[in-house]
Amino acid sequence: MKHFSSLGQVTIKVFVWILASLIGIFPTYSFAQEVKGTVTDGKTGESLIGARVVMKGAPRGAMTDENGKFSFKPGQEPPFSLVITYFGYDTLDYQVTSLDRSLKLQLNEVGYTVGEVEIVASAYSETQQRSPLTVESMSINAIKETPAANFYEGLGHLKGVDLTSASIGFKVINTRGFNSTQPVRSLQIIDGVDNQSPGLNFALGNFLGASELDVESVDLIVGASSAFYGPNAFNGVISMNTKSPFIHRGLSASVKVGERNLGEVALRYARAFTNEAGEDKFAFKINLSYLTVDDWEADNLDPVTDAEHGRDNPGGYDAVNRYGDENLSAGQNNATGLTDRALRPGLGRWYRTGYEEVDLVNYDTRNFKAGAALHFMVAPKVELIGASNFSTGTTVLQGDNRYSLNDILFFQHRLEVRQKDKFFVRAYVTHEDAGNSYDAVFTALRLQSGVYSKSDNDWGTDYRNHWNRNFVSAARNLPGMPAITFPYDYETTDAVLLANMDSLVRWHNATRAFADTSGFPRLIPGTAQFDSAFNKITSTPLRQGGTRLVDRSALYHVHGEYKFTLGRFDFTTGANGRLYTPVSDGNLFSDTLSFVIDTLEDGTPFIADSSRNPITNLEGGAYIGAQIELMDERLRLNATARIDKNQNFSAIPTFSVSSVYTANSKHTFRASFSAAVRNPTLADQYLFYDVGRATLLGNLDGFEGLADTASFTDFLEAPPLEKDTNNINFFDVAPIQPERVRTIELGYRTTLGERFYVDASYYFSWYQDFIGFNIGVDVDFPNGNFLIPSADVYRIAANAREIVTTQGVSVGLNYFFDKGYTVNGNYSWNVLNTDSDDPIIPAFNTPEHKFNIGFAGRDVTWGPLKHMGFSINYKWIEGFLFEGSPQFTGDIPTYDLLDVQVNKRVDKLKSTFKLGASNVLDKQQFQVYGGPRVGRLIYFSVTTELDNI
């Protein structure tokens, strides 16, 4: 990764040069008077740091500093209104009539806000305080003060949120069940822009997301939300909002160091410019961040769950993070039949040596992100934004297999014109390049495929023959071994073998060594021969016999929305369109690139002809929503209807109807009924992924006449005279269809006394047409010879036939003390009601019970120490079955985590110093089966914020 480090250094130098140039080139006008003042707690009089003060209807404003002070140029003469917001406090709408004096603004704690969790707006308005959707939120201060190593990991402390770590660089957020390391059932957006990978169709956590310095807030919308956010907002939406350069100005920088060689630097610079009238006309921001850390290693050598054999089997076993030892050629590596047990006692079942993941994967996680945005005020309330973001890095991804993502590239460009709370038109494009990424599991299989060492069949044959030549007699001559007579005494044989286990282990080790080294020997990790083969395999595309992932896919998206009022109704209407253009050269999708090779007279080969089967996938949707307030604005009714159409599927309507009733300042009730849809991913539609043992296929047209694997295996293992093709069960697979869900949700929020807050909700969901897969065999009997069939194994995307229901409850509790202390807790219960053996239904992968307990203090004083802050969070997760791919399905034991942090703000340095630890007790535990054991990560960071430079 030396070249990557050099790339990061060069890029940082370039951006710093650009930054310095911008600072020197652009003049700063200062014609108009400033509006300035302080924001304090209405009860205690303490300064509120980070309160947001903006002009109503215009992107002008500022954040309060460490003394609660703010100032900015309004760009117009009074009167005008200011909107002052701060999490945990009432929103203040203040009318400015004069600029002659400093304003003294006071905010009061709200009666319906629970800590950093608030009921926020639906898609109708970001500023509404009552909504049918519950949003778990992190404010700008909560992001800074999370006890986790980063804000994204801190989302796991919120109510009803499941967070799993497949690696340090790849963390998955999910809600309400059906969790997976491929989060295709949740939508992740940044400033309204879908952050998914265009080809793989799921978001890579925050690895390709926003810099932490630029994140203003994160809202996690829980539950089915297609009516508001479109297809794929199936189980929830993660919405990140970045900082406006008109409001968050100046230079911010942070440095973080920690265990596992953690090193992270980040820089943000934003500046705004006014015209001669003092009006904000232009602003820009630049973001840079670079992370390096030694990732957790997936070194679990326990037998896979429900393995046929364990560590005590002399012939080996199938380990979780050792690949190529799966013994898929069971007939070849098997001597467990009655005849073999008598004639070859002790041979039993043997497994190939395989390769451990630590020898196949790059654990040196690197992540570089750069972004820039230009903001223009083209009219008094209309803003034009042009933004570009770039990310690259190396990490480990888990899906059906484990993948080493090396030098993956991610580009995103956005152009948007908007008037807040009125309209927007947004267009963006996302490009990705898989770089030098490869499939780690398949790499182990390629190393043992007969090209770089002997094939599985040859290795198994060598193992059997060596045992027959050298150890059959020794086993038959063990003391007490019965003679070969009929009926044979198998019970005594097993007892004799068990009593001589040391000899069996020694004989199997010698046989394994022979099979590994004889003829075409096994390549040993760390040797030049292994490195040469490994590099060739991982640099060669899948379709050409290697394991490198080829993906240069893109998506293009345009979205417009308009809000208006008719009578007492507020309406929101909009439409969007999206075009996918996957490009894999036939390595991942069925966009096969074919070559015709010819040679010149001197023998030089050249491409005489080539052809490509390009894939495009177009989808679009439109929606309209209405809202009305009744009963003196205590009752709010919402209804939204939406229709979406993908070119390969019928139009699908979704909807949401809801009501929110505020009995008084302390009691709020809500109810909603909504529907959501998830279109099949590009992989579900077009996948063509040959992994050697099988081919993974998308399914637009359906398949007929596939044999199920169980009956076909029985056919193969039957004696020649007993083989009967009529015993093979055949089945058809219908074309893939979108998934659907309907959810009813009830919620209640109350204030008990003055400082104790409760927020509770219950949901019940109905799912249909789950997307999973069928495994079948395409069997052919050439020339009618059923003894020697040809067969291809396919894993085909398919829908479940059954309807599945789930339900759950979540409760959040917060108690606020004087002087900034808070105790909080939350509990979630989620359960899959339907007990089904349909293999298509995806795994629930969610603990039935989990809870968080936290204690925090903000801007507190400890003796002579002032401006101190701290937070502690304890999380408990009940064990559950994690069902991923066949290689990665197993039990996650019950575990708990303790995260802590303490911070100190130094006003003179305009800096905050933070010391923290994730999993401070270093309890090594799995969060996903097949992933690494996650341990402690101690870190120290310094963040400096210089405003209004």
Side-chain angles (χ1 to χ4, degrees):
M1 295 304 297
K2 291 182 179 179
H3 67 285
F4 181 81
S5 300
S6 300
L7 171 64
Q9 294 173 3
V10 171
T11 308
I12 290 174
K13 290 179 180 178
V14 171
F15 268 83
V16 170
W17 179 83
I18 295 173
L19 176 65
S21 301
L22 288 170
I23 294 174
I25 291 174
F26 287 101
T28 302
Y29 299 100
S30 56
F31 294 89
Q33 288 181 281
E34 290 186 331
V35 55
K36 57 186 178 180
T38 58
V39 180
T40 59
D41 184 300
K43 185 174 182 180
T44 66
E46 294 180 351
S47 300
L48 296 181
I49 306 163
R52 197 168 187 260
V53 183
V54 297
M55 293 180 64
K56 197 169 188 178
R60 302 188 187 96
M63 304 292 291
T64 56
D65 62 15
E66 64 274 7
N67 298 311
K69 295 182 178 180
F70 70 91
S71 65
F72 66 92
K73 297 180 178 67
Q76 67 182 71
E77 296 296 326
F80 54 81
S81 293
L82 297 179
V83 178
I84 302 93
T85 56
Y86 192 73
F87 277 83
Y89 289 78
D90 279 319
T91 296
L92 177 63
D93 195 321
Y94 185 85
Q95 185 79 8
V96 177
T97 59
S98 173
L99 299 178
D100 295 336
R101 60 184 178 85
S102 179
L103 304 177
K104 295 181 179 180
L105 308 175
Q106 295 182 332
L107 299 183
N108 297 316
E109 290 185 90
V110 299
Y112 52 84
T113 298
V114 184
E116 300 300 340
V117 182
E118 65 169 350
I119 289 192
V120 300
S122 67
Y124 303 129
S125 171
E126 296 178 357
T127 59
Q128 295 171 348
Q129 295 297 319
R130 294 174 295 158
S131 166
L133 299 180
T134 299
V135 179
E136 303 297 322
S137 297
M138 295 185 73
S139 70
I140 190 170
N141 285 322
I143 290 170
K144 295 177 182 178
E145 298 168 5
T146 178
N150 57 71
F151 81 93
Y152 200 85
E153 186 176 342
L155 292 172
H157 299 157
L158 300 179
K159 173 165 56 68
V161 176
D162 294 305
L163 180 139
T164 56
S165 295
S167 63
I168 287 181
F170 181 48
K171 300 182 185 297
V172 179
I173 297 292
N174 195 63
T175 63
R176 295 190 176 175
F178 302 106
N179 194 14
S180 135
T181 53
Q182 295 174 293
V184 294
R185 291 179 175 84
S186 60
L187 178 66
Q188 181 169 298
I189 56 178
I190 301 176
D191 294 330
V193 176
D194 193 340
N195 196 42
Q196 70 170 291
S197 163
L200 301 177
N201 279 152
F202 58 86
L204 277 170
N206 198 44
F207 192 74
L208 304 177
S211 167
E212 187 163 329
L213 283 181
D214 196 39
V215 177
E216 183 179 63
S217 64
V218 183
D219 297 329
L220 198 148
I221 298 93
V222 178
S225 306
S226 283
F228 302 100
Y229 294 95
N232 304 333
F234 203 67
N235 278 6
V237 178
I238 304 168
S239 177
M240 303 183 197
N241 306 298
T242 65
K243 299 174 180 177
S244 167
F246 283 115
I247 298 171
H248 298 268
R249 310 179 189 187
L251 177 68
S252 301
S254 68
V255 177
K256 183 185 296 182
V257 296
E259 289 184 299
R260 308 194 65 81
N261 293 316
L262 171 65
E264 183 177 14
V265 294
L267 174 73
R268 179 185 186 272
Y269 181 73
R271 192 169 181 182
F273 304 91
T274 60
N275 59 15
E276 295 182 358
E279 300 171 333
D280 284 324
K281 299 301 293 182
F282 169 69
F284 73 90
K285 64 179 179 180
I286 296 174
N287 282 282
L288 298 169
S289 68
Y290 181 71
L291 165 72
T292 176
V293 64
D294 296 338
D295 213 331
W296 311 108
E297 295 183 357
D299 55 3
N300 181 8
L301 297 183
D302 294 336
V304 298
T305 299
D306 298 328
E308 184 179 0
H309 298 93
R311 294 177 182 270
D312 59 347
N313 182 48
Y317 64 97
D318 179 9
V320 177
N321 291 126
R322 187 173 59 217
Y323 314 133
D325 62 353
E326 294 79 12
N327 194 22
L328 299 179
S329 301
Q332 181 68 27
N333 296 0
N334 186 12
T336 58
L338 295 180
T339 302
D340 277 324
R341 289 173 64 192
L343 299 179
R344 303 175 182 83
L347 179 55
R349 178 69 64 88
W350 61 97
Y351 294 75
R352 192 160 187 181
T353 304
Y355 290 95
E356 296 180 20
E357 182 176 299
V358 294
D359 297 320
L360 302 169
V361 166
N362 181 4
Y363 288 116
D364 296 331
T365 291
R366 304 288 185 268
N367 186 206
F368 174 70
K369 292 184 282 196
L374 306 177
H375 293 240
F376 301 88
M377 294 304 301
V378 295
K381 295 183 179 181
V382 179
E383 186 176 11
L384 174 65
I385 302 171
S388 290
N389 294 286
F390 165 76
S391 304
T392 186
T394 295
T395 189
V396 180
L397 168 70
Q398 183 165 333
D400 293 317
N401 283 339
R402 297 270 292 177
Y403 304 94
S404 184
L405 300 186
N406 288 334
D407 306 321
I408 186 171
L409 301 174
F410 194 77
F411 302 86
Q412 201 160 60
H413 311 290
R414 170 173 62 110
L415 186 64
E416 180 174 355
V417 59
R418 67 186 183 188
Q419 180 178 334
K420 187 175 176 61
D421 295 330
K422 187 63 177 179
F423 75 88
F424 69 79
V425 177
R426 178 188 304 132
Y428 61 87
V429 58
T430 302
H431 293 275
E432 71 176 348
D433 189 324
N436 298 310
S437 304
Y438 59 90
D439 184 329
V441 177
F442 196 20
T443 297
L445 302 182
R446 288 292 199 201
L447 286 166
Q448 301 180 153
S449 63
V451 177
Y452 303 97
S453 64
K454 65 186 67 173
S455 67
D456 286 346
N457 285 338
D458 289 343
W459 187 91
T461 298
D462 286 351
Y463 198 103
R464 177 188 287 270
N465 292 340
H466 186 79
W467 181 274
N468 290 341
R469 288 192 302 266
N470 295 276
F471 300 116
V472 166
S473 296
R476 293 289 322 144
N477 292 327
L478 288 172
M481 185 67 70
I484 301 177
T485 60
F486 183 81
Y488 186 74
D489 187 356
Y490 294 103
E491 183 175 346
T492 300
T493 296
D494 292 341
V496 171
L497 294 175
L498 183 62
N500 292 274
M501 187 59 66
D502 289 345
S503 295
L504 286 180
V505 171
R506 185 171 64 255
W507 296 342
H508 272 279
N509 287 342
T511 303
R512 179 177 301 279
F514 173 82
D516 282 345
T517 59
S518 65
F520 200 179
R522 174 179 183 267
L523 298 176
I524 306 300
T527 64
Q529 294 86 348
F530 175 89
D531 291 343
S532 175
F534 177 83
N535 291 334
K536 184 174 182 180
I537 291 171
T538 57
S539 63
T540 302
L542 285 159
R543 193 165 177 267
Q544 299 175 29
T547 60
R548 185 167 70 88
L549 305 177
V550 177
D551 183 12
R552 302 186 303 279
S553 301
L555 72 83
Y556 305 84
H557 189 101
V558 61
H559 184 188
E561 183 177 280
Y562 181 72
K563 299 178 180 180
F564 60 96
T565 300
L566 288 177
R568 299 181 62 184
F569 287 90
D570 294 324
F571 288 91
T572 300
T573 184
N576 66 274
R578 172 174 294 188
L579 175 66
Y580 291 98
T581 58
V583 176
S584 75
D585 297 342
N587 290 277
L588 292 176
F589 303 110
S590 53
D591 58 335
T592 305
L593 185 64
S594 300
F595 297 96
V596 176
I597 306 296
D598 203 346
T599 57
L600 301 175
E601 292 183 358
D602 61 0
T604 303
F606 72 99
I607 299 175
D609 189 20
S610 65
S611 63
R612 184 188 297 272
N613 177 33
I615 296 173
T616 59
N617 189 254
L618 180 64
E619 63 183 34
Y623 57 94
I624 185 168
Q627 174 182 292
I628 188 172
E629 294 185 347
L630 305 171
M631 301 174 61
D632 295 328
E633 299 185 353
R634 289 185 298 166
L635 177 63
R636 173 174 292 165
L637 302 177
N638 291 285
T640 300
R642 181 184 180 100
I643 189 165
D644 288 280
K645 176 71 173 70
N646 182 287
Q647 70 180 51
N648 293 324
F649 310 104
S650 300
I652 297 178
T654 54
F655 64 88
S656 177
V657 293
S658 62
S659 64
V660 180
Y661 176 68
T662 303
N664 53 46
S665 62
K666 293 189 176 183
H667 301 282
T668 301
F669 303 84
R670 70 180 183 276
S672 65
F673 182 47
S674 58
V677 64
R678 180 174 86 83
N679 284 328
T681 64
L682 292 182
D684 295 327
Q685 299 178 61
Y686 304 105
L687 185 66
F688 188 88
Y689 185 10
D690 183 358
V691 295
R693 310 285 191 182
T695 301
L696 315 185
L697 297 178
N699 179 20
L700 281 176
D701 301 317
F703 288 81
E704 296 180 353
L706 293 175
D708 73 57
T709 55
S711 65
F712 184 67
T713 300
D714 291 342
F715 170 83
L716 292 178
E717 294 180 351
L721 296 179
E722 298 180 13
K723 291 184 184 294
D724 186 353
T725 56
N726 292 322
N727 293 330
I728 301 176
N729 298 322
F730 292 90
F731 66 97
D732 299 333
V733 181
I736 199 74
Q737 295 297 319
E739 287 184 359
R740 308 185 192 202
V741 63
R742 285 178 169 82
T743 298
I744 185 170
E745 181 175 350
L746 305 174
Y748 172 64
R749 176 165 293 193
T750 185
T751 304
L752 302 178
E754 296 297 328
R755 299 181 178 274
F756 188 52
Y757 304 96
V758 181
D759 180 24
S761 64
Y762 167 80
Y763 74 90
F764 194 98
S765 298
W766 296 261
Y767 295 85
Q768 69 180 82
D769 292 327
F770 265 125
I771 295 176
F773 56 82
N774 282 135
I775 297 177
V777 185
D778 186 13
V779 184
D780 184 32
F781 297 94
N783 302 320
N785 185 356
F786 62 85
L787 295 178
I788 311 175
S790 63
D792 294 308
V793 180
Y794 295 119
R795 196 197 76 175
I796 303 168
N799 295 99
R801 298 178 180 178
E802 298 182 33
I803 293 179
V804 176
T805 64
T806 65
Q807 62 178 327
V809 170
S810 63
V811 180
L813 308 172
N814 281 59
Y815 186 82
F816 292 90
F817 296 88
D818 288 327
K819 300 182 180 179
Y821 294 100
T822 306
V823 174
N824 60 78
N826 59 67
Y827 164 78
S828 298
W829 171 70
N830 296 277
V831 65
L832 176 66
N833 300 318
T834 305
D835 186 11
S836 173
D837 58 1
D838 188 339
I840 292 181
I841 295 175
F844 197 54
N845 288 350
T846 302
E848 182 172 355
H849 304 282
K850 62 178 178 286
F851 66 82
N852 287 272
I853 299 175
F855 179 47
R858 176 183 296 172
D859 200 23
V860 298
T861 298
W862 296 338
L865 298 177
K866 298 182 179 180
H867 301 317
M868 299 291 297
F870 71 92
S871 57
I872 303 170
N873 190 88
Y874 173 78
K875 173 190 288 187
W876 182 87
I877 303 291
E878 185 181 35
F880 61 97
L881 175 65
F882 188 96
E883 298 178 83
S885 64
Q887 176 74 17
F888 300 123
T889 292
D891 294 313
I892 300 294
T894 297
Y895 67 90
D896 57 352
L897 299 171
L898 182 65
D899 299 336
V900 301
Q901 68 86 16
V902 61
N903 63 81
K904 174 72 170 71
R905 191 179 70 258
V906 180
D907 293 342
K908 292 183 179 179
L909 300 178
K910 295 186 178 295
S911 299
T912 299
F913 298 82
K914 179 179 177 181
L915 176 65
S918 297
N919 190 11
V920 66
L921 301 179
D922 197 23
K923 294 186 176 182
Q924 304 281 325
Q925 40 76 29
F926 297 107
Q927 295 184 10
V928 56
Y929 193 80
R933 289 180 175 90
V934 177
R936 182 188 64 203
L937 184 63
I938 298 176
Y939 56 90
F940 174 74
S941 68
V942 180
T943 302
T944 300
E945 296 177 301
L946 306 176
D947 296 330
N948 297 317
I949 290 181

